[in-house]
Amino acid sequence: MHRIDVLEGTLAKAFGCLGGYIAGRAEVIDCVRSYAAGFIFTTALPPAICSAATAAIRHLKTSNWSASATRNAPPGSRRSSMPRACP
């Protein structure tokens, strides 16, 4: 972790919410807030969305359903909904 400058991700799809996160040194985050076009006019997430994201993260940390469902899925089932051009 000592070589990673910034961690960022989304709270959509896997977490069933919206928004995202960015974590790093204060100087880097301040730079992103000041110069990244997507952050200039944004506001904080509503409390209900933050609560939903927190609940989803807590659930995923304690539940092994997702991992076991993926592990036990029949071969090829994860690709069945992908277009043929996707690897």
Side-chain angles (χ1 to χ4, degrees):
M1 291 290 292
H2 66 281
R3 297 185 318 178
I4 298 174
D5 294 326
V6 177
L7 293 173
E8 61 88 25
T10 179
L11 297 173
K13 295 185 183 176
F15 295 104
C17 298
L18 61 91
Y21 63 89
I22 184 167
R25 291 190 338 254
E27 299 85 17
V28 174
I29 303 304
D30 187 48
C31 182
V32 170
R33 277 195 203 123
S34 298
Y35 296 104
F39 285 129
I40 292 175
F41 297 108
T42 59
T43 61
L45 293 173
I49 298 297
C50 293
S51 293
T54 301
I57 291 167
R58 283 189 181 134
H59 171 72
L60 290 173
K61 286 175 74 172
T62 59
S63 171
N64 65 0
W65 178 86
S66 180
S68 65
T70 302
R71 208 174 18 255
N72 298 329
S77 65
R78 292 179 64 201
R79 294 178 180 243
S80 63
S81 62
M82 291 184 168
R84 287 196 178 272
C86 292

